[in-house]
Structures are given as C-alpha cells and as structure tokens.
C-alpha cells in the first residue's frame, strides 16, 4: 500500500473547491484569518505541516524542487528557489500544499504513523513525494498541484476586489496586482486568462478584456 495516491482526473471545480474550503476554514479561525499577499507558510501551519528550506541534492533522475515527507508532516523546499524572482517561493509552497491535499493519502499516513509507534511497518510504501520536471501521469499531477496553488493564492473573490480597482488592459496595473498578491506575473496572467478576464494574442503585447471580465469601478 502506498501513501501516495495513484493519479486520477480531478475536475478544476473540485480542485478549486478544496482550496476555497481551506481559506474558508482559516477565515473561521481568528488566529489564521487569511490576508493578502497570502503567506503559504501559515496555510501549511494551519494544515498541521512543517516547512523547511534546505539544500536538496539531485538524484539519478535530476533536480528535485521540493519533497513531502508524509509521516513527518513535513514539506522540504529546495533553497535554490530563493535565487528565483520574488513570487516563486509562495507559488512553490502552495504547489506542495496542492500535492498534500490532492495526492497524499493522509488517512493512510496517519494509520501508518501509528503502526510505526507500535513497532510495526507492514507493506506500506514510505517513499517521500518528490516534485520535479516529469512526464506522463506524474506531469498531470504536477498540473493539478499548480492549479491548486493558483486557486489558493488568487481566489476569485480577491481577484474581483482587485479588478474593481484596476484596469486589466494595462501592464502597470497587472504588475501592481501581482505585487499585492505575492505571485509572479506569469502566475497572474495564467489565472486571468483561465477566468477569461484577459486575452493575450500570441506575439502581441497588447492586453484585451475577455468576455467574462468584471466591471471596473469608475
């Protein structure tokens, strides 16, 4: 038996609902009321997870961006990410939280942890969940985790509040939103395009409003 779930198709609506449920539960807990830019470390703490930044050496299959040790309730982030542009840190941690929520069998992890306390091991696979560039079904799991990160860091209701005060067709306004959200400009562009709030034609730096774009306050 493995603590890591086998890949299954998860609709975007289900992934978004999971992210929103966490934010809702945090909103109902005074100590953890979410504020933006969202501190993903506090989300991890709310979920009972520890987070450490450490040097994770590559293995035979290449670089490892992060890994989850389910039994320890621990997320390790490769400190090399700190050298990347601001916004990658929160996105990376939120991505790992997506794996925790979507791809780790938390019930089995809890049962196995209790079994170890009693001196047994059974037939459960204890390998950590590694996050790296992959292909096939593992790549689809990476896409799911990134969707989760997007929904967690940029929920609809926060984007709607910001869009009411900004012109989505101006890059300066998108960069202001990006800063307030604590994400990368690429994260924001992908999210706004997914919502059909903006259109960015290939090879054109002009931003157009999408059909679903919210009305901006005058």
């Amino acid at each position: 038996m493995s603590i890591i779930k086998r890949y299954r198709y998860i609709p975007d609506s289900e992934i978004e609902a999971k992210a929103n449920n966490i934010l809702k539960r945090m909103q109902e807990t005074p100590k953890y009321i979410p504020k933006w830019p969202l501190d993903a470390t506090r989300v991890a703490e709310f979920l009972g997870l520890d987070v450490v930044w450490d040097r994770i050496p590559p293995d035979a299959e290449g670089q490892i961006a992060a890994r989850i040790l389910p039994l320890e309730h621990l997320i390790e982030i490769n400190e090399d990410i700190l050298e990347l542009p601001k916004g990658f840190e929160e996105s990376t941690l939120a991505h790992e939280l997506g794996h925790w929520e979507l791809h780790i069998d938390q019930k089995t992890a809890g049962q196995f942890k209790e079994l170890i306390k009693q001196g047994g091991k059974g037939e459960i696979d204890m390998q950590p969940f590694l996050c790296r560039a992959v292909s096939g079904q593992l790549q689809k799991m990476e896409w799911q985790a990134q969707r989760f990160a997007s929904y967690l860091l940029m929920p609809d209701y926060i984007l709607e509040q910001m869009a009411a005060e900004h012109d989505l067709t101006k890059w300066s306004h998108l960069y202001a939103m990006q800063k307030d959200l604590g994400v990368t400009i690429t994260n924001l562009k992908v999210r706004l395009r997914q919502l059909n709030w903006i259109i960015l034609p290939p090879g054109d730096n002009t931003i157009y409003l999408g059909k679903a774009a919210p009305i901006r306050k005058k």
Side-chain angles (χ1 to χ4, degrees):
M1 184 183 298
S2 176
I3 294 174
I4 301 172
K5 298 177 182 178
R6 297 183 64 180
Y7 167 77
R8 73 174 179 88
Y9 169 74
I10 308 176
D12 277 354
S13 58
E14 182 178 337
I15 297 174
E16 184 174 19
K18 285 182 177 293
N20 285 340
N21 178 260
I22 291 172
L23 294 174
K24 180 177 182 294
R25 285 157 46 208
M26 291 179 71
Q27 188 69 41
E28 296 169 349
T29 309
K31 181 182 176 181
Y32 291 102
I33 293 176
K35 299 178 182 179
W36 271 264
L38 188 66
D39 183 348
T41 302
R42 287 187 59 75
V43 181
E45 182 181 318
F46 178 76
L47 295 173
L49 298 166
D50 291 322
V51 179
V52 296
W53 297 81
D54 202 355
R55 174 81 177 114
I56 303 178
D59 60 12
E61 297 182 33
Q63 295 292 329
I64 300 170
R67 61 189 174 194
I68 302 175
L69 283 69
L71 297 186
E72 291 85 349
H73 280 58
L74 178 67
I75 296 176
E76 291 183 337
I77 308 291
N78 195 328
E79 62 186 12
D80 289 347
I81 288 175
L82 295 173
E83 301 175 4
L84 297 174
K86 190 171 178 60
F88 274 92
E89 299 135 27
E90 298 301 331
S91 179
T92 300
L93 180 49
H95 179 103
E96 295 311 305
L97 294 176
H99 283 309
W100 174 258
E101 288 295 310
L102 301 172
H103 305 132
I104 302 297
D105 188 334
Q106 298 174 30
K107 182 178 179 181
T108 298
Q111 292 173 342
F112 193 37
K113 187 174 182 179
E114 187 61 32
L115 181 63
I116 290 177
K117 287 181 180 179
Q118 297 172 5
K121 287 189 177 181
E123 299 296 328
I124 301 179
D125 181 1
M126 293 188 298
Q127 293 300 312
F129 187 101
L130 303 181
C131 188
R132 66 163 104 233
V134 290
S135 59
Q137 290 189 340
L138 288 178
Q139 185 180 57
K140 294 177 182 179
M141 294 172 77
E142 293 299 325
W143 288 339
Q144 290 173 344
Q146 195 55 37
R147 284 287 201 190
F148 178 93
S150 178
Y151 292 132
L152 186 71
L153 299 175
M154 297 173 284
D156 285 4
Y157 67 95
I158 293 296
L159 288 176
E160 287 170 357
Q161 293 173 17
M162 291 185 175
E165 305 293 338
H166 289 87
D167 185 343
L168 299 180
T169 66
K170 293 184 178 179
W171 283 107
S172 60
H173 284 238
L174 292 194
Y175 276 101
M177 291 174 62
Q178 170 236 332
K179 182 178 180 181
D180 289 341
L181 289 163
V183 298
T184 67
I185 191 64
T186 300
N187 292 152
L188 180 58
K189 286 192 300 182
V190 169
R191 183 77 169 100
L192 295 179
R193 291 175 71 176
Q194 177 201 10
L195 289 167
N196 195 21
W197 288 9
I198 65 170
I199 298 171
L200 283 167
D204 188 346
N205 207 37
T206 304
I207 308 171
Y208 302 92
L209 285 180
K211 292 181 179 180
I215 299 174
R216 181 187 173 211
K217 290 181 181 178
K218 301 297 184 180

